[in-house]
Amino acid sequence: MDTGKHPLEFMGKLLCECDVEWKALEDIAEIYGGLRGKSKNDFENGNARYVPYKNIFFNIDVDFDSLELVSVSASEKQNSVQYGDVLFTGSSENAEEAGMSSAVTIEQKDDVYLNSFSFGIRFNDDIRFIPDFSKYLFRSRFMRTKIARTANGVTRFNISKARFKKIKIPIPCPDTPERSLAIQTEIVHILDTFTTHTAELTAELTAELTAELTAELTAELTARKKQYNYYRDKLLTFEEGQVEWKTLGKVLVRTKGTKITAGQMKELHKDGAPLKVFAGGKTIAFVDFEDIPAKNINREPSVIVKSRGFIEFEYYEKPFSHKNEMWSYYSKDVGINIKYVYYFLKLHEPHFQNLGSRMQMPQISIPDTDKFQIPIPPLNIQTEIVTILDKFDALTHSISEGLPREIKLRQQQYEYYRDLLFSFPKSETTV
């Protein structure tokens, strides 16, 4: 195989004497849903495996070593995933991340189900797609753009199945199956090779450049790490009776958010506006103070609880607001350093993520944080912990930000060639 040619030349050679037909998904595939009629208890002691939302979101092909359990009786009629299917997340906090795909590239002996916040497509018998080709196709830039356009929503964006099934995808050489499979195989081989090569280069560059750029900071970083570990392991691990433990709800003031919609946030967004509004994940907007009711503006240094999807805590000192499905805490107690509370909660984020993951769409409730207990050492100890961790974080960020952009460029190069390999000629009627 001659891969020395530019991908467009290579595609031209592959497609010589071969047509590419664009067909709507509704004409070539069946769309099916995930688990139905399940309660929280069904996910506590399961007897069957299912593909969770995050597995699809983060993996281009399904990781069958990271499935979760659900109870499914023999009499239930639930859809199971099959080799060759492509799974999609049904929603996200923004349209650009809705409908992320993951292909089923490994056959399974036992039934594997799909979480109810996702859906799958299964190609008709006369459509021969190599699963590894599908995994690259649906993650390509032009397909991601098409899929994102099918999402509707305000605070959360959901894929419209009616619009999704109208998406047209390219089928190389539909009338000559052997030629079609050969083209798919060549594209997969190129992308697999490029992916492996990029991963190897990235790992090599990371090791070399990290060693080079951190040489001068090694001694200080080692000292800071020892201090960090000391305060984390010693000061944040208390013997019974050593310090008083109190719940967040007792020592902090919980604040509500605002009813502003994501659409309003986008509409009101103004460059240079002073008020930051959080909507979960990476979705934020900067607006003027008069755009938000005064009672919904928090002017205290606070810990913001991002309670859905990827559960995490964020510390923010300037005036802010957030969507009303989130909440935040600040301290009125002079004996409580709110940033100390933030660092303690960050340390325990895995606890809250595990707690939230008992639901198919991870989320926690106000009582989960209100009832969470934290140790209250003397204020000077809290302040010292904050000072050390602030410095440690600053050093860590300076190292990561100092890494050359070569690694990022390698990924961009891969995405560029991937998109070129999927640049099939389009008809005028292609959606």
Side-chain angles (χ1 to χ4, degrees):
M1 179 186 68
D2 179 13
T3 59
K5 294 181 178 291
H6 189 280
L8 286 178
E9 289 185 64
F10 185 67
M11 282 302 299
K13 182 179 178 181
L14 281 178
L15 295 172
C16 183
E17 299 179 0
C18 174
D19 294 328
V20 174
E21 188 171 352
W22 292 76
K23 291 189 176 183
L25 285 173
E26 64 182 342
D27 296 328
I28 61 172
E30 166 198 357
I31 298 178
Y32 63 89
L35 290 162
R36 303 180 301 275
K38 292 299 171 186
S39 67
K40 182 178 179 180
N41 293 336
D42 291 318
F43 296 92
E44 293 181 354
N45 295 297
N47 62 337
R49 299 180 300 162
Y50 77 94
V51 184
Y53 177 98
K54 290 191 292 184
N55 194 321
I56 301 170
F57 188 93
F58 286 115
N59 298 306
I60 192 171
D61 50 358
V62 176
D63 180 2
F64 284 99
D65 292 327
S66 298
L67 301 183
E68 296 181 9
L69 296 177
V70 60
S71 294
V72 178
S73 66
S75 60
E76 286 186 61
K77 294 183 178 180
Q78 300 282 3
N79 295 317
S80 58
V81 305
Q82 294 181 12
Y83 176 75
D85 291 357
V86 184
L87 312 182
F88 297 85
T89 57
S91 65
S92 185
E93 291 173 345
N94 56 70
E96 292 72 22
E97 293 183 348
M100 296 298 286
S101 62
S102 185
V104 180
T105 58
I106 301 175
E107 294 193 60
Q108 298 295 301
K109 293 181 180 179
D110 301 320
D111 285 338
V112 174
Y113 302 97
L114 178 60
N115 79 85
S116 60
F117 290 92
S118 302
F119 63 94
I121 65 170
R122 181 168 300 150
F123 294 108
N124 299 342
D125 292 339
D126 59 332
I127 302 298
R128 300 182 65 188
F129 268 155
I130 298 172
D132 283 306
F133 176 79
S134 296
K135 79 180 183 184
Y136 287 123
L137 172 65
F138 286 97
R139 287 270 182 155
S140 64
R141 191 184 305 272
F142 84 91
M143 283 303 301
R144 285 296 314 142
T145 301
K146 287 174 178 287
I147 293 169
R149 288 173 181 165
T150 70
N152 297 317
V154 179
T155 60
R156 191 164 190 86
F157 291 82
N158 300 290
I159 295 294
S160 163
K161 303 296 194 310
R163 296 172 65 182
F164 180 87
K165 66 183 183 181
K166 299 291 184 184
I167 293 176
K168 291 185 177 181
I169 65 172
I171 303 176
C173 307
D175 298 326
T176 52
E178 290 185 3
R179 182 65 175 160
S180 178
L181 293 177
I183 290 174
Q184 294 178 47
T185 300
E186 292 290 359
I187 291 175
V188 168
H189 179 70
I190 292 171
L191 292 175
D192 279 349
T193 302
F194 205 105
T195 301
T196 302
H197 185 54
T198 300
E200 290 173 351
L201 283 173
T202 299
E204 183 180 344
L205 284 168
T206 301
E208 291 179 1
L209 296 171
T210 299
E212 178 183 344
L213 292 171
T214 60
E216 296 179 1
L217 295 174
T218 299
E220 185 177 357
L221 277 174
T222 300
R224 295 302 185 189
K225 277 190 175 182
K226 287 181 179 178
Q227 287 179 309
Y228 172 78
N229 289 335
Y230 173 79
Y231 283 108
R232 183 193 63 190
D233 298 341
K234 300 296 183 183
L235 292 179
L236 297 182
T237 302
F238 299 93
E239 300 294 336
E240 185 176 354
Q242 186 178 0
V243 296
E244 188 175 5
W245 290 72
K246 295 183 179 180
T247 61
L248 290 181
K250 291 287 187 182
V251 299
L252 300 178
V253 179
R254 175 167 39 81
T255 56
K256 298 180 180 179
T258 180
K259 292 183 179 179
I260 187 173
T261 66
Q264 287 174 311
M265 287 173 62
K266 186 175 181 181
E267 208 172 285
L268 295 170
H269 191 286
K270 301 167 185 174
D271 292 336
L275 185 65
K276 190 172 184 178
V277 181
F278 295 85
K282 298 178 181 178
T283 307
I284 60 171
F286 285 95
V287 303
D288 288 329
F289 280 90
E290 58 267 26
D291 295 330
I292 303 292
K295 64 183 179 66
N296 294 332
I297 297 175
N298 193 335
R299 300 173 186 273
E300 301 289 337
S302 299
V303 177
I304 301 165
V305 183
K306 298 181 177 180
S307 58
R308 295 184 181 181
F310 305 109
I311 297 163
E312 59 183 350
F313 302 93
E314 182 163 344
Y315 176 76
Y316 199 69
E317 293 183 337
K318 298 178 182 179
F320 71 93
S321 189
H322 51 69
K323 296 286 291 146
N324 57 1
E325 65 265 22
M326 300 163 59
W327 58 96
S328 56
Y329 293 99
Y330 70 89
S331 175
K332 273 190 173 182
D333 190 332
V334 294
I336 302 292
N337 184 321
I338 188 64
K339 200 166 190 183
Y340 160 79
V341 176
Y342 160 73
Y343 276 124
F344 189 83
L345 290 174
K346 287 294 288 185
L347 183 64
H348 290 83
E349 273 183 350
H351 161 76
F352 289 98
Q353 191 65 55
N354 290 336
L355 193 65
S357 293
R358 295 176 184 176
M359 306 294 288
Q360 287 193 65
M361 173 58 67
Q363 64 181 52
I364 58 173
S365 62
I366 287 175
D368 292 328
T369 55
D370 268 4
K371 295 178 180 179
F372 185 72
Q373 291 191 327
I374 62 171
I376 311 295
L379 182 59
N380 66 313
I381 296 296
Q382 297 178 43
T383 302
E384 189 174 356
I385 291 174
V386 168
T387 300
I388 294 300
L389 294 183
D390 279 351
K391 289 182 178 179
F392 182 81
D393 277 356
L395 285 171
T396 302
H397 284 123
S398 70
I399 293 170
S400 61
E401 291 169 4
L403 288 174
R405 289 176 176 77
E406 179 70 21
I407 294 171
K408 183 178 180 179
L409 290 174
R410 292 288 183 182
Q411 179 63 24
Q412 291 174 340
Q413 186 183 33
Y414 157 72
E415 292 174 356
Y416 171 76
Y417 283 112
R418 177 199 62 193
D419 294 337
L420 282 180
L421 286 169
F422 284 110
S423 59
F424 295 105
K426 299 178 176 66
S427 66
E428 294 182 359
T429 58
T430 300
V431 175

